[in-house]
Amino acid sequence: MISLHRSCFLNNSGISGSSSLFSYKLNKLPPASVKATALGPNSDTNASVLIENKAFKEITQDGTSAAANVDINLTVAGGDREVYYDDAATEDQLVTPWSVSVASGYSLLRDPHHNKGLAFTEKERDAHYLRGLLPPTVISQDLQVKKMMYSIRKYKVPLQKYMAMMDLQETNERLFYKLLIDNVEELLPVVYTPTVGEACQKYGSIFRRPQGVFISLKEKGKIHEVLRNWPQKDIQVIVVTDGERILGLGDLGCQGMGIPIGKLSLYTALGGVCPSACLPVTIDVGTNNEQLLNDEFYIGLRRRRATGLEYAELMDEFMTAVKQKYGEKVLIQFEDFANHNAFDLLAKYGTTHLVFNDDIQGTASVVLAGLVAALKVVGGTLADHRFLFLGAGEAGTGIAELTALEISKQTNMPLEEARKKISLVDSKGLIVKSRIDSLQHFKKPWAHDHEPIKKLVDAVNGTKPTVLIGTSGVGRTFTKEVVEAMAALNDKPIIFSLSNPTSQSECTAEEAYTWSKGRAIFASGSPFDPVEYEGRVFVPGQANNAYIFPGFGLGLIMSGAIRVHDDMLLAASEALAAQVTQENFDKGLIYPPFKNIRQISANIAANVAAKAYELGLATRQPRPKDLVKYAESCMYNPAYRSYR
């Protein structure tokens, strides 16, 4: 019998105790592994890694089993009592943080990647030292899902549901994803918008355990080393934010980490990307949010935001380190960066990295899909319509540009001409040529020859749009007067109120249907309940980016794409629009139900991958014959695995 257990007793002057610092004793060696357990006065839990038994075989010179050849019982500090905690040292003394002992079922129950809770079989409980650590009953994963949904539905506050889901993710990963996949329509608003917005606002007070990598200015010059601290090595998708523009809530600094965590949960649940291949990252360069800076529970750097060269150097080091560590084909998704950085980062790294900005490109793709689907209700082509946007930031200009590209593609119209069908309103009014010198660079393509207009309702009457899209981040800006003006101009006005969370939506579904007398084709960014108007029930569509980015990312991964091209975004839009059925249209929907999201994602992934192969940007060869089936085969399955 052999156990490797090192117990060092240190005082301020050095090592003290017996002449031997190692105790070898093993009561029971498991058939496959032992564990190294991190112990220390600052450890919240034991961290363990599995070590193959061959390491122990190498202890003996002839390579035979150490357990069969070694029978020693050396002790330290007298007796054979093993010291596993810091009770043998005073608080100001150092303790040895590592010991090697049998891999215990107790550790297995605390490993979220492998824990099955009460679903461990009788055989597994015997094989993995779980006897007595669980109640005697054995239940199925399906029954666990039923039980968890029963518990979650008892919570009346959405943030409590969010915290319950995050706790589950940290204790039983497969059950978390099984729960989310099976109940996606009910739980999507819990794990992502709108609840994730409140979670980010209160992240400091609800923070329990770290999920993802926090890179702050303190880590400048050491980012590659920081990435090595993350336990998973085969990373395929990174979602990164600097927290400056979280949803419509503004600068939340380090507490924006809730966004990358939520997005990557959806990459797995909706797109089938393996959770171990996902890495959430927050770049902490400070915050300009005074409330957070004065909040004792704030978890980030307490300083004003870094800008200019200091910011650029940190981001450049991060992008370089990611490529060095994970390779050319890792997808980096920029999330909730402020306008001035979002466009610059996408332009700077779009030619050297596989990068994607969901706020600019993902939003554009999902909205374009909604517009294409809506045309089947209102008639005509995109080129036949006029578009007015309230909001000229990342989302607004991104949607406008992709729409213009699609018009140009469909009609062979020059892009400059296609852009003239689209007008944008920002905080200063309609974007027109007379303002060109004062405009930010990403707004300049939308400065048309038109008299200046301040008010939105006047812009509606002046430009006479058939489509009104809100991306302003300012709630209740589509007033009754504005909606009635759209309804006066159009038999079936298309109104998209896209700002998140729900409180920032430009109008509610009920307002859009009521003020348009039931004629509006409506979609929103956050979910709204069905609306009954004059005996008819309208089901509002949700232009949620979750329709696009999980399948889009899967398509990039399965094709081995090395760059993102605009034609891939158009391919994703076309695939999503094609999933809307006549039955959906009859209910007023211009997006397919989320309950079919995995099949939707597979079709989007196939379209994106096909475009990558067509453009010569795919590296995974040969090309699969059936890309849809291949996409389905690549998807993560959260069903429990059987253990030896």
Side-chain angles (χ1 to χ4, degrees), residues 442-518:
F442 53 86
K443 295 181 181 180
K444 289 183 178 181
W446 311 104
H448 305 314
D449 288 318
H450 200 288
E451 62 184 32
I453 297 176
K454 291 286 187 181
K455 296 176 64 177
L456 177 61
V457 66
D458 294 334
V460 169
N461 290 320
T463 62
K464 295 179 170 49
T466 55
V467 181
L468 177 64
I469 298 175
T471 62
S472 64
V474 182
R476 304 302 182 264
T477 43
F478 288 176
T479 62
K480 182 179 181 182
E481 190 180 16
V482 169
V483 174
E484 286 179 343
M486 284 293 296
L489 290 167
N490 305 282
D491 181 46
K492 294 180 179 179
I494 299 174
I495 300 174
F496 286 5
S497 175
L498 302 178
S499 294
N500 289 314
T502 309
S503 60
Q504 306 304 114
S505 184
E506 283 79 10
C507 71
T508 67
E510 184 177 10
E511 289 168 345
Y513 291 126
T514 302
W515 294 338
S516 67
K517 295 181 170 57

Side-chain angles (χ1 to χ4, degrees), residues 389 396-406 415 419 422 445-446 566:
F389 288 76
T397 56
I399 299 165
E401 183 67 11
L402 198 65
T403 303
L405 283 169
E406 182 69 3
L415 184 59
R419 285 174 177 157
I422 303 169
W446 311 104
D566 285 339

Side-chain angles (χ1 to χ4, degrees), residues 140-432:
S140 67
Q141 190 179 26
D142 287 337
L143 186 56
Q144 287 180 312
V145 168
K146 182 178 180 181
K147 179 182 176 182
M148 282 303 305
M149 286 306 300
Y150 176 78
S151 298
I152 288 171
R153 285 167 180 156
K154 280 190 169 183
Y155 292 115
K156 302 303 180 186
V157 179
L159 186 61
Q160 292 177 328
K161 295 183 179 183
Y162 173 89
M163 293 172 66
M165 288 295 290
M166 292 303 102
D167 283 343
L168 179 60
Q169 188 178 24
E170 281 298 295
T171 55
N172 188 331
E173 185 176 79
R174 287 185 178 274
L175 182 57
F176 170 83
Y177 286 112
K178 175 73 170 169
L179 191 73
L180 184 52
I181 291 168
D182 290 356
N183 301 274
V184 64
E185 291 180 296
E186 182 174 348
L187 294 179
L188 185 65
V190 174
V191 300
Y192 202 62
T193 181
T195 310
V196 72
E198 183 183 2
C200 288
Q201 288 177 307
K202 300 176 180 178
Y203 204 77
S205 58
I206 68 173
F207 179 82
R208 297 183 181 181
R209 58 183 69 86
Q211 294 173 285
V213 172
F214 294 84
I215 296 174
S216 73
L217 290 167
K218 292 181 178 180
E219 282 72 57
K220 188 175 182 182
K222 299 180 288 187
I223 293 179
H224 192 274
E225 179 182 337
V226 169
L227 292 177
R228 291 175 59 189
N229 292 339
W230 186 250
Q232 305 297 338
K233 306 306 177 188
D234 185 19
I235 300 300
Q236 295 175 318
V237 184
I238 293 172
V239 176
V240 58
T241 186
D242 70 353
E244 189 169 5
R245 191 200 62 82
I246 298 298
L247 301 175
L249 303 172
D251 186 352
L252 298 184
C254 188
Q255 296 187 172
M257 178 56 100
I259 297 297
I261 292 170
K263 287 279 186 179
L264 287 169
S265 296
L266 301 187
Y267 261 109
T268 297
L270 312 187
V273 179
C274 184
S276 63
C278 299
L279 175 59
V281 176
T282 288
I283 305 292
D284 186 359
V285 295
T287 179
N288 294 335
N289 187 325
E290 292 294 341
Q291 185 177 350
L292 289 180
L293 290 173
N294 295 321
D295 184 353
E296 63 177 329
F297 297 132
Y298 181 56
I299 60 174
L301 292 179
R302 294 180 184 276
R303 55 157 287 173
R304 307 288 292 180
R305 276 192 172 271
T307 58
L309 186 61
E310 186 179 18
Y311 179 89
E313 287 179 346
L314 188 71
M315 285 302 303
D316 196 57
E317 183 186 349
F318 168 72
M319 296 298 291
T320 301
V322 164
K323 196 170 181 179
Q324 289 175 346
K325 174 67 176 169
Y326 303 118
E328 182 90 358
K329 292 180 284 187
V330 61
L331 172 61
I332 305 168
Q333 179 171 313
F334 297 122
E335 196 68 38
D336 287 351
F337 285 78
N339 292 342
H340 56 278
N341 289 322
F343 289 101
D344 291 345
L345 290 170
L346 193 58
K348 181 176 181 180
Y349 296 108
T351 57
T352 59
H353 293 67
L354 183 66
V355 294
F356 170 69
N357 186 303
D358 191 43
D359 303 301
I360 299 173
Q361 297 165 299
T363 301
S365 187
V366 75
V367 173
L368 178 59
L371 292 173
V372 171
L375 295 182
K376 297 177 183 178
V377 179
V378 301
T381 66
L382 282 175
D384 296 327
H385 289 265
R386 288 201 55 81
F387 305 83
L388 179 64
F389 288 76
L390 177 63
E394 297 169 54
T397 56
I399 299 165
E401 183 67 11
L402 198 65
T403 303
L405 283 169
E406 182 69 3
I407 292 172
S408 177
K409 176 185 172 184
Q410 289 180 358
T411 62
N412 292 319
M413 183 187 299
L415 184 59
E416 289 296 326
E417 285 300 309
R419 285 174 177 157
K420 291 179 180 178
K421 295 182 175 293
I422 303 169
S423 300
L424 278 71
V425 173
D426 65 8
S427 60
K428 294 180 174 61
L430 188 67
I431 295 176
V432 294

Side-chain angles (χ1 to χ4, degrees), residues 528-606:
F528 284 103
D529 292 331
V531 175
E532 184 175 352
Y533 178 78
E534 293 188 352
R536 184 182 174 189
V537 177
F538 295 89
V539 183
Q542 187 184 358
N544 193 320
N545 291 20
Y547 276 116
I548 289 291
F549 71 81
F552 187 82
L554 179 62
L556 297 175
I557 292 169
M558 72 187 216
S559 64
I562 56 173
R563 298 291 180 270
V564 171
H565 191 280
D566 285 339
D567 284 354
M568 296 177 183
L569 299 170
L570 296 177
S573 296
E574 291 162 4
L576 176 57
Q579 302 299 302
V580 188
T581 66
Q582 187 59 49
E583 182 183 354
N584 301 146
F585 288 129
D586 292 342
K587 294 179 181 178
L589 288 170
I590 55 174
Y591 291 99
F594 252 107
K595 64 182 179 181
N596 303 323
I597 187 60
R598 280 210 153 194
Q599 186 59 46
I600 294 166
S601 292
N603 280 277
I604 290 172

Side-chain angles (χ1 to χ4, degrees), residues 28-35 48 50 52-53 101-111 114-117 119-134 641-644:
K28 188 177 182 182
L29 186 66
S33 61
V34 297
K35 73 169 183 177
S48 62
L50 296 179
E52 291 297 322
N53 275 353
S101 60
V102 173
S104 164
Y106 189 81
S107 299
L108 184 58
L109 291 173
R110 280 151 183 77
D111 179 356
H114 300 101
N115 178 30
K116 299 199 289 186
F120 280 111
T121 66
E122 298 286 356
K123 184 178 178 181
E124 289 169 338
R125 295 181 189 206
D126 284 330
H128 297 282
Y129 310 94
L130 293 166
R131 285 292 174 191
L133 302 182
L134 289 167
R641 302 297 186 262
S642 296
Y643 300 148
R644 293 186 182 90

Side-chain angles (χ1 to χ4, degrees), residues 44-55:
D44 293 328
T45 59
N46 292 346
S48 62
V49 294
L50 296 179
I51 305 172
E52 291 297 322
N53 275 353
K54 62 184 180 181

